[in-house]
Amino acid sequence: MMADLSLNQSASEANFGKIALRWLLYALLGLFALYYLLPLFVMVTTSLKSLEEIRTGSLVTLPREVTFDAWKTAWSGACTGIQCEGLRPYFWNSVLLAVPAVFLSTLIGALNGYVVAQWKFKGANLIFSLMLFGCFIPFQVVLLPMARMLGLMGIAGTIPGLIFVHVIYGIGFTTLFFRNYYVTIPSELVKAAKVDGANFFRIFWSIFLPLSLPIIVVTVIWQFTQIWNDFLFGVSFSQAGTQPITVALNNIVNSTTGVKEYNVDMAAAIIAALPTLFVYVVAGKYFIRGLTAGSVKG
Amino acid sequence: MAPILEIQTLFKNYGSTEILKDINIAIEPGDFLVLVGPSGCGKSTLLNCIAGLEPITGGSLHIGGKDMTHVSPKDRDIAMVFQSYALYPTMSVAKNITFGMKVRGVDAATQDRKLAEVANQLQIEPLLQRRPGQLSGGQRQRVAMGRALVRDPKLFLFDEPLSNLDAKLRVEMRSEIKKLHQTLGATMVYVTHDQIEAMTLATKIVVMKGGVIQQIGTPAEIYNTPANLFVADFMGSPAMNLIPAKVMQNGGGARIEISRGQGGPIVLHDPKAEGLPEDVILGLRPEDIAEAGFRAGEGVQEAECLVDMVEPAGADTYVVSELGGKQITARMHAETSASAGSSLTFAFDLNKVSYFAPETGDRLN
């Protein structure tokens, strides 16, 4: 009887400790979430306020009167230097740049990974190591040689030129992603397909690509974020009319004279960040799944 | 009849390492050739060479009378079943089976007809729309076979197809493969490390070790007259007893002396031992050593031995003793009177004895 009681007691004590720990954990997580959400909150509320209200009110209060004027200005009226067309043309520049660059670098990465993982040739490992090395070269180092190359190729200052730069720079990472994924696929699959009569591209297209959804998602998210958010290549290799959105955002924020329009700056920054946010929300769950995806059984 | 597969002086190197050395094999249509050996003996590499998945360093390879030495796998008229089955994970069973035909541009009607035939033959109709991931090991095995059968090739290649199955299923699939071979009359090359699989399936066995062929022969030849100590030891379970012995020539025949744990040596007489060198290794299968009184006739000789261990195995009882400094096993009937620690008279059937040279390991008789 006594033993029973004390046992119960210690059990409930342990339970209580567990629950308390859980609550502490949630409280801590909530705190972190708040900490990270605060800047976004300030950005969104500020973008919805009028300049008048920003000047008189506090940073963290909700807008007394919600107005989308700042968003309109940011999208189609804000001045980037001498032109006052807002972010719109640059947004489309970034789309025209990011979509083909992401597509091409992912495709080439998939092909490279497929070769390095499943069609080993003499020196395959060396080539793969060199590609990996490419991931670690700082952007600044390649600026001058790349400018010279683009000039020689006649695509300096154009969107195709920027696409070229991003594809080249992305191949190292995309190859790494796909190689590590394909290495887990049994090589007997390639042998079986060879005996079945399929050639190099057929095996890639019919057998490896359909298996690759998780890693394609990872690569697309990674590449899209990199390319969309890139500023250095954008500012170095573009000219008026071909600048990506990050460069335009900088120009809007830094080239205004007189009163700083914080609401417009905030709205513009949110617009510039929306596409990457969108990609994460839509494909985020595949991202984690793809990063941890193991071997393919069967 | 012309051989359907003919391999002549085949060599295979990886860098400076010789994987396969001077391989010569020829098989007739309808043969079931089993390549058997311990892991690392080169048997799977040889199969990959036959398939064209590994280039060969030297020699030639003919399939169906045509030189296939440098022909790519798809044009060799072969089909292959892999150890991991290698089913295409994103395709349904039906698509897995028809993939080869689709790639080769066979028309849809023929594809459907052949698919139905093979599905019926292997009884996998209910599975056709499933993915490989939804199948059990045995079902995957069947699908992998289906993918090979549908091609109707000159030569079937099997790379340890049963080693991923559990023991019971393995025996079932083994007899199914044998049945399939008999009904199709197809020519098959089969790689395994399991000597029982080799014995039960083959019409012809190639025993390999270290990239070199040790012996080629029918299962009976390999079992009864192994070419060397390696083959004698590798084939058969429990393994052949290999007992060091001394041969004394005495005119009309030879005396064979085997030392015993206690007492003097055992002396056996065998006219076949005439002319052998003094030191030999005598090989005798466990079933050729019986309890005295249960085996008689010419060539059967008796001697008393001390029993070390008795291992009942249901149908048989294995009796272990020590001869020539080695543990030997005798297969006796289940109701044997043998008990550990006591002596028993063993009957040695010398009709099937093998003699080997201790230094080279080669067969002497």
Side-chain angles (χ1 to χ4, degrees), chain A residues 88-102:
Chain A
R88 187 168 49 189
Y90 305 101
F91 186 89
W92 292 119
N93 278 350
S94 271
V95 172
L96 285 178
L97 157 70
V99 171
V102 169

Side-chain angles (χ1 to χ4, degrees), chain B residues 213-237:
Chain B
I213 293 181
Q214 303 295 311
Q215 188 174 4
I216 305 183
T218 64
E221 282 166 6
I222 302 268
Y223 191 75
N224 295 327
T225 53
N228 56 37
L229 280 174
F230 174 77
V231 178
D233 189 44
F234 190 75
M235 302 298 289
S237 175

